[in-house]
């Protein structure tokens, strides 16, 4: 039976490095890296490149944020590292042209339900296949509440998704200034 491990923390706190170490322990060279980042600007291109250079070259890579359950079912890899949930959420929120200041609560709920459905399907596929899943996410609930509606929507969705994943995880780690703390 596989394990689900959630790694959370602030931006640049060492989450991805910790996740990669956990993936190496669980899967060695038999790891599928699910990269959710999209190179939308030079900063993101640089961030993606740094992750690629640090990553084990023997690992498989899937780049995307839709239909992850299908990827889990189709891959032969027994350990999957998903980096990261908050980028996945951002991608879902921005995939369609939206004015977040004008969205109705029903439209916000629809976006949230779409994201939750993606994550629930992923978790179900992992549990059904007995694979290991290591998930990286940002902890966004420990900072200032955004003055902008889009930021508040993002934080609310992220908080809900993080709780959902933590609930089913075998382990939860919080990375603070590069120091991992196991909290579950």
């Amino acid at each position: 039976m596989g394990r689900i491990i959630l790694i959370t923390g602030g931006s640049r706190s060492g989450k991805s490095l910790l996740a990669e170490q956990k993936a190496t322990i669980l899967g060695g060279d038999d790891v599928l890296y699910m990269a959710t980042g999209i190179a939308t600007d030079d900063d993101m291109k640089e961030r993606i490149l740094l992750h690629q250079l640090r990553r084990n070259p023997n690992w498989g890579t899937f780049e995307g944020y839709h239909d992850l359950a299908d990827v889990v079912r189709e891959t032969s890899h027994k350990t999957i590292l998903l980096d990261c949930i908050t980028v996945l959420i951002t991608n879902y929120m921005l995939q369609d042209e939206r004015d977040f200041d004008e969205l109705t609560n029903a439209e916000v709920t629809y976006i949230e339900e779409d994201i939750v459905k993606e994550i629930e399907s992923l978790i179900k596929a992992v549990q059904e296949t007995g694979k290991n899943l290591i998930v990286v996410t940002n902890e966004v609930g420990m900072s200032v509440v955004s003055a902008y509606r889009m930021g508040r929507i993002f934080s609310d969705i992220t908080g809900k998704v993080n709780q959902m994943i933590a609930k089913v995880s075998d382990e939860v780690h919080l990375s603070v200034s590069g120091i991992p703390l196991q909290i579950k």
Side-chain angles (χ1 to χ4, degrees):
M1 180 168 183
R3 301 183 56 72
I4 298 176
I5 300 172
L6 178 65
I7 299 176
T8 188
S11 183
R12 302 283 199 212
S13 64
K15 302 178 302 292
S16 294
L17 183 59
L18 176 59
E20 291 163 8
Q21 291 167 349
K22 292 281 184 186
T24 299
I25 291 167
L26 286 175
D29 286 343
D30 184 25
V31 174
L32 176 66
Y33 191 103
M34 287 183 163
T36 61
I38 299 172
T40 55
D41 59 23
D42 288 340
D43 288 340
M44 194 62 174
K45 287 177 187 172
E46 179 69 21
R47 181 171 247 171
I48 290 169
L49 179 62
L50 291 173
H51 279 252
Q52 289 170 337
L53 292 173
R54 188 179 64 216
R55 192 177 311 150
N56 182 331
N58 296 314
W59 290 357
T61 302
F62 169 81
E63 296 178 353
Y65 63 98
H66 280 284
D67 304 317
L68 300 180
D70 293 339
V71 176
V72 167
R73 288 185 182 98
E74 293 166 8
T75 187
S76 63
H77 298 285
K78 299 297 182 201
T79 298
I80 298 155
L81 191 165
L82 190 157
D83 196 355
C84 86
I85 288 293
T86 43
V87 172
L88 179 149
I89 291 169
T90 300
N91 292 341
Y92 264 93
M93 288 178 65
L94 299 178
Q95 70 187 357
D96 297 318
E97 190 77 22
R98 295 182 170 109
D99 181 347
F100 282 87
D101 291 328
E102 300 298 323
L103 287 181
T104 65
N105 288 337
E107 291 169 316
V108 171
T109 299
Y110 174 79
I111 295 167
E112 181 179 303
E113 288 173 350
D114 202 23
I115 295 165
V116 166
K117 188 183 311 176
E118 179 71 46
I119 302 304
E120 286 175 339
S121 296
L122 169 68
I123 290 168
K124 183 178 178 187
V126 166
Q127 291 171 331
E128 288 174 353
T129 60
K131 295 179 180 178
N132 299 307
L133 175 65
I134 301 158
V135 179
V136 176
T137 190
N138 286 341
E139 176 50 62
V140 297
M142 298 170 82
S143 63
V144 176
V145 175
S146 176
Y148 301 98
R149 186 162 189 243
M150 181 181 177
R152 292 190 303 271
I153 292 168
F154 170 79
S155 292
D156 289 349
I157 293 172
T158 301
K160 182 174 185 173
V161 169
N162 285 351
Q163 287 182 56
M164 186 178 78
I165 299 169
K167 184 177 181 178
V168 299
S169 291
D170 299 289
E171 297 175 25
V172 177
H173 299 266
L174 173 66
S175 186
V176 180
S177 301
I179 300 169
L181 304 167
Q182 186 166 351
I183 57 177
K184 179 181 177 185

